[in-house]
mmCIF file of all heavy atoms in Angstrom:
data_model
loop_
_atom_site.group_PDB
_atom_site.id
_atom_site.type_symbol
_atom_site.label_atom_id
_atom_site.label_comp_id
_atom_site.label_asym_id
_atom_site.label_seq_id
_atom_site.Cartn_x
_atom_site.Cartn_y
_atom_site.Cartn_z
ATOM 1 N N SER A 1 0.810 -1.214 0.000
ATOM 2 C CA SER A 1 0.000 0.000 0.000
ATOM 3 C C SER A 1 0.848 1.270 0.000
ATOM 4 O O SER A 1 0.312 2.364 -0.198
ATOM 5 C CB SER A 1 -0.934 0.002 1.208
ATOM 6 O OG SER A 1 -0.180 0.018 2.415
ATOM 7 N N MET A 2 2.142 1.120 0.202
ATOM 8 C CA MET A 2 3.026 2.280 0.220
ATOM 9 C C MET A 2 3.574 2.571 -1.169
ATOM 10 O O MET A 2 3.633 1.687 -2.035
ATOM 11 C CB MET A 2 4.191 2.051 1.203
ATOM 12 C CG MET A 2 3.752 2.064 2.657
ATOM 13 S SD MET A 2 5.048 1.485 3.808
ATOM 14 C CE MET A 2 6.421 2.543 3.359
ATOM 15 N N SER A 3 3.978 3.794 -1.394
ATOM 16 C CA SER A 3 4.516 4.180 -2.701
ATOM 17 C C SER A 3 5.899 3.578 -2.915
ATOM 18 O O SER A 3 6.566 3.114 -1.975
ATOM 19 C CB SER A 3 4.613 5.704 -2.801
ATOM 20 O OG SER A 3 5.640 6.196 -1.939
ATOM 21 N N VAL A 4 6.335 3.606 -4.161
ATOM 22 C CA VAL A 4 7.686 3.166 -4.513
ATOM 23 C C VAL A 4 8.711 3.970 -3.707
ATOM 24 O O VAL A 4 9.645 3.414 -3.118
ATOM 25 C CB VAL A 4 7.929 3.332 -6.024
ATOM 26 C CG1 VAL A 4 9.407 3.146 -6.375
ATOM 27 C CG2 VAL A 4 7.063 2.345 -6.803
ATOM 28 N N LEU A 5 8.534 5.282 -3.685
ATOM 29 C CA LEU A 5 9.466 6.149 -2.955
ATOM 30 C C LEU A 5 9.560 5.754 -1.490
ATOM 31 O O LEU A 5 10.663 5.621 -0.936
ATOM 32 C CB LEU A 5 9.022 7.606 -3.083
ATOM 33 C CG LEU A 5 9.811 8.632 -2.250
ATOM 34 C CD1 LEU A 5 11.273 8.662 -2.666
ATOM 35 C CD2 LEU A 5 9.173 10.021 -2.371
ATOM 36 N N ASP A 6 8.417 5.538 -0.838
ATOM 37 C CA ASP A 6 8.435 5.234 0.585
ATOM 38 C C ASP A 6 9.010 3.845 0.866
ATOM 39 O O ASP A 6 9.668 3.635 1.885
ATOM 40 C CB ASP A 6 7.033 5.355 1.179
ATOM 41 C CG ASP A 6 6.602 6.809 1.340
ATOM 42 O OD1 ASP A 6 7.488 7.683 1.382
ATOM 43 O OD2 ASP A 6 5.388 7.063 1.419
ATOM 44 N N ASN A 7 8.766 2.885 -0.028
ATOM 45 C CA ASN A 7 9.375 1.572 0.136
ATOM 46 C C ASN A 7 10.901 1.661 0.109
ATOM 47 O O ASN A 7 11.586 1.016 0.905
ATOM 48 C CB ASN A 7 8.895 0.612 -0.959
ATOM 49 C CG ASN A 7 7.696 -0.206 -0.549
ATOM 50 O OD1 ASN A 7 7.818 -1.259 0.067
ATOM 51 N ND2 ASN A 7 6.511 0.293 -0.902
ATOM 52 N N ILE A 8 11.418 2.478 -0.779
ATOM 53 C CA ILE A 8 12.868 2.613 -0.883
ATOM 54 C C ILE A 8 13.417 3.367 0.323
ATOM 55 O O ILE A 8 14.499 3.045 0.840
ATOM 56 C CB ILE A 8 13.247 3.301 -2.204
ATOM 57 C CG1 ILE A 8 12.772 2.446 -3.391
ATOM 58 C CG2 ILE A 8 14.757 3.523 -2.308
ATOM 59 C CD1 ILE A 8 12.916 3.117 -4.741
ATOM 60 N N ARG A 9 12.673 4.370 0.784
ATOM 61 C CA ARG A 9 13.096 5.099 1.987
ATOM 62 C C ARG A 9 13.208 4.156 3.189
ATOM 63 O O ARG A 9 14.118 4.289 4.012
ATOM 64 C CB ARG A 9 12.104 6.219 2.296
ATOM 65 C CG ARG A 9 12.334 7.499 1.506
ATOM 66 C CD ARG A 9 11.156 8.474 1.650
ATOM 67 N NE ARG A 9 10.705 8.582 3.028
ATOM 68 C CZ ARG A 9 11.190 9.478 3.900
ATOM 69 N NH1 ARG A 9 12.130 10.331 3.532
ATOM 70 N NH2 ARG A 9 10.710 9.522 5.133
ATOM 71 N N VAL A 10 12.293 3.195 3.289
ATOM 72 C CA VAL A 10 12.357 2.221 4.375
ATOM 73 C C VAL A 10 13.691 1.470 4.347
ATOM 74 O O VAL A 10 14.302 1.223 5.392
ATOM 75 C CB VAL A 10 11.173 1.235 4.280
ATOM 76 C CG1 VAL A 10 11.391 0.035 5.202
ATOM 77 C CG2 VAL A 10 9.864 1.925 4.640
ATOM 78 N N GLY A 11 14.143 1.134 3.151
ATOM 79 C CA GLY A 11 15.403 0.411 3.030
ATOM 80 C C GLY A 11 16.593 1.190 3.548
ATOM 81 O O GLY A 11 17.572 0.604 4.023
ATOM 82 N N GLY A 12 16.528 2.512 3.469
ATOM 83 C CA GLY A 12 17.635 3.331 3.930
ATOM 84 C C GLY A 12 17.526 3.760 5.373
ATOM 85 O O GLY A 12 18.421 4.442 5.887
ATOM 86 N N HIS A 13 16.476 3.334 6.044
ATOM 87 C CA HIS A 13 16.223 3.830 7.395
ATOM 88 C C HIS A 13 17.319 3.449 8.373
ATOM 89 O O HIS A 13 17.645 4.205 9.291
ATOM 90 C CB HIS A 13 14.881 3.304 7.895
ATOM 91 C CG HIS A 13 14.438 3.921 9.187
ATOM 92 N ND1 HIS A 13 14.628 3.303 10.414
ATOM 93 C CD2 HIS A 13 13.836 5.114 9.451
ATOM 94 C CE1 HIS A 13 14.162 4.086 11.371
ATOM 95 N NE2 HIS A 13 13.673 5.171 10.828
ATOM 96 N N ARG A 14 17.939 2.265 8.190
ATOM 97 C CA ARG A 14 18.978 1.837 9.114
ATOM 98 C C ARG A 14 20.231 2.707 9.003
ATOM 99 O O ARG A 14 21.070 2.702 9.892
ATOM 100 C CB ARG A 14 19.347 0.384 8.859
ATOM 101 C CG ARG A 14 18.252 -0.594 9.159
ATOM 102 C CD ARG A 14 17.872 -0.645 10.610
ATOM 103 N NE ARG A 14 18.950 -1.105 11.472
ATOM 104 C CZ ARG A 14 18.847 -1.283 12.773
ATOM 105 N NH1 ARG A 14 17.714 -1.002 13.376
ATOM 106 N NH2 ARG A 14 19.863 -1.715 13.489
ATOM 107 N N GLN A 15 20.358 3.428 7.876
ATOM 108 C CA GLN A 15 21.495 4.325 7.728
ATOM 109 C C GLN A 15 21.280 5.638 8.490
ATOM 110 O O GLN A 15 22.203 6.423 8.667
ATOM 111 C CB GLN A 15 21.713 4.647 6.242
ATOM 112 C CG GLN A 15 22.044 3.431 5.380
ATOM 113 C CD GLN A 15 23.390 2.845 5.732
ATOM 114 O OE1 GLN A 15 24.355 3.565 5.947
ATOM 115 N NE2 GLN A 15 23.470 1.517 5.773
ATOM 116 N N SER A 16 20.041 5.856 8.920
ATOM 117 C CA SER A 16 19.697 7.098 9.616
ATOM 118 C C SER A 16 19.708 6.870 11.115
ATOM 119 O O SER A 16 19.018 5.987 11.622
ATOM 120 C CB SER A 16 18.305 7.565 9.173
ATOM 121 O OG SER A 16 17.886 8.676 9.902
ATOM 122 N N ARG A 17 20.511 7.637 11.844
ATOM 123 C CA ARG A 17 20.644 7.451 13.288
ATOM 124 C C ARG A 17 19.850 8.518 14.029
ATOM 125 O O ARG A 17 20.359 9.557 14.420
ATOM 126 C CB ARG A 17 22.121 7.514 13.695
ATOM 127 C CG ARG A 17 22.980 6.464 13.006
ATOM 128 C CD ARG A 17 22.527 5.067 13.394
ATOM 129 N NE ARG A 17 23.313 4.038 12.716
ATOM 130 C CZ ARG A 17 23.075 2.745 12.787
ATOM 131 N NH1 ARG A 17 22.042 2.322 13.495
ATOM 132 N NH2 ARG A 17 23.840 1.885 12.155
ATOM 133 N N GLY A 18 18.566 8.256 14.170
ATOM 134 C CA GLY A 18 17.722 9.214 14.860
ATOM 135 C C GLY A 18 17.339 8.716 16.240
ATOM 136 O O GLY A 18 17.828 7.708 16.728
ATOM 137 N N ASN A 19 16.448 9.449 16.893
ATOM 138 C CA ASN A 19 15.892 9.004 18.167
ATOM 139 C C ASN A 19 14.454 9.500 18.262
ATOM 140 O O ASN A 19 14.024 10.379 17.511
ATOM 141 C CB ASN A 19 16.727 9.518 19.347
ATOM 142 C CG ASN A 19 16.809 11.025 19.389
ATOM 143 O OD1 ASN A 19 15.824 11.710 19.665
ATOM 144 N ND2 ASN A 19 17.996 11.570 19.098
ATOM 145 N N PHE A 20 13.716 8.904 19.165
ATOM 146 C CA PHE A 20 12.278 9.176 19.242
ATOM 147 C C PHE A 20 11.990 10.652 19.492
ATOM 148 O O PHE A 20 11.101 11.234 18.867
ATOM 149 C CB PHE A 20 11.648 8.320 20.349
ATOM 150 C CG PHE A 20 10.197 8.612 20.574
ATOM 151 C CD1 PHE A 20 9.231 8.116 19.712
ATOM 152 C CD2 PHE A 20 9.785 9.418 21.634
ATOM 153 C CE1 PHE A 20 7.892 8.389 19.903
ATOM 154 C CE2 PHE A 20 8.449 9.699 21.834
ATOM 155 C CZ PHE A 20 7.502 9.183 20.967
ATOM 156 N N LEU A 21 12.745 11.268 20.394
ATOM 157 C CA LEU A 21 12.462 12.651 20.773
ATOM 158 C C LEU A 21 12.656 13.608 19.601
ATOM 159 O O LEU A 21 11.758 14.397 19.261
ATOM 160 C CB LEU A 21 13.352 13.074 21.947
ATOM 161 C CG LEU A 21 13.133 14.498 22.458
ATOM 162 C CD1 LEU A 21 11.711 14.667 22.978
ATOM 163 C CD2 LEU A 21 14.152 14.843 23.547
ATOM 164 N N SER A 22 13.823 13.541 18.952
ATOM 165 C CA SER A 22 14.096 14.478 17.864
ATOM 166 C C SER A 22 13.175 14.233 16.678
ATOM 167 O O SER A 22 12.732 15.176 16.014
ATOM 168 C CB SER A 22 15.562 14.372 17.430
ATOM 169 O OG SER A 22 15.836 13.091 16.903
ATOM 170 N N ASP A 23 12.841 12.940 16.434
ATOM 171 C CA ASP A 23 11.953 12.633 15.308
ATOM 172 C C ASP A 23 10.535 13.123 15.582
ATOM 173 O O ASP A 23 9.876 13.698 14.701
ATOM 174 C CB ASP A 23 11.955 11.127 15.030
ATOM 175 C CG ASP A 23 13.271 10.637 14.445
ATOM 176 O OD1 ASP A 23 14.081 11.486 14.034
ATOM 177 O OD2 ASP A 23 13.483 9.419 14.415
ATOM 178 N N SER A 24 10.031 12.884 16.797
ATOM 179 C CA SER A 24 8.653 13.271 17.100
ATOM 180 C C SER A 24 8.487 14.786 17.170
ATOM 181 O O SER A 24 7.421 15.318 16.839
ATOM 182 C CB SER A 24 8.209 12.645 18.423
ATOM 183 O OG SER A 24 9.034 13.074 19.492
ATOM 184 N N LEU A 25 9.546 15.502 17.578
ATOM 185 C CA LEU A 25 9.468 16.962 17.678
ATOM 186 C C LEU A 25 9.860 17.662 16.378
ATOM 187 O O LEU A 25 9.715 18.887 16.265
ATOM 188 C CB LEU A 25 10.371 17.460 18.813
ATOM 189 C CG LEU A 25 9.981 17.031 20.226
ATOM 190 C CD1 LEU A 25 10.988 17.549 21.244
ATOM 191 C CD2 LEU A 25 8.570 17.528 20.566
ATOM 192 N N GLY A 26 10.333 16.894 15.412
ATOM 193 C CA GLY A 26 10.734 17.500 14.147
ATOM 194 C C GLY A 26 11.902 18.452 14.291
ATOM 195 O O GLY A 26 11.930 19.514 13.646
ATOM 196 N N LEU A 27 12.861 18.087 15.125
ATOM 197 C CA LEU A 27 14.030 18.931 15.331
ATOM 198 C C LEU A 27 14.881 18.995 14.061
ATOM 199 O O LEU A 27 14.776 18.132 13.184
ATOM 200 C CB LEU A 27 14.858 18.402 16.506
ATOM 201 C CG LEU A 27 14.143 18.408 17.871
ATOM 202 C CD1 LEU A 27 15.061 17.873 18.949
ATOM 203 C CD2 LEU A 27 13.641 19.802 18.216
ATOM 204 N N PRO A 28 15.713 20.037 13.922
ATOM 205 C CA PRO A 28 16.495 20.205 12.689
ATOM 206 C C PRO A 28 17.289 18.971 12.275
ATOM 207 O O PRO A 28 17.359 18.643 11.085
ATOM 208 C CB PRO A 28 17.413 21.378 13.020
ATOM 209 C CG PRO A 28 16.636 22.177 14.013
ATOM 210 C CD PRO A 28 15.896 21.181 14.846
ATOM 211 N N ALA A 29 17.886 18.269 13.249
ATOM 212 C CA ALA A 29 18.656 17.070 12.903
ATOM 213 C C ALA A 29 17.770 16.014 12.264
ATOM 214 O O ALA A 29 18.164 15.340 11.300
ATOM 215 C CB ALA A 29 19.346 16.503 14.145
ATOM 216 N N ALA A 30 16.543 15.870 12.778
ATOM 217 C CA ALA A 30 15.608 14.895 12.219
ATOM 218 C C ALA A 30 15.177 15.297 10.822
ATOM 219 O O ALA A 30 15.034 14.451 9.929
ATOM 220 C CB ALA A 30 14.393 14.764 13.132
#
């Protein structure tokens, strides 16, 4: 049900080192 773009983004997610707080608040690093 997800787009081609979003499926590929999922594959790269492990390369992104985020955390719950910065991601949920939309901080600049996120």
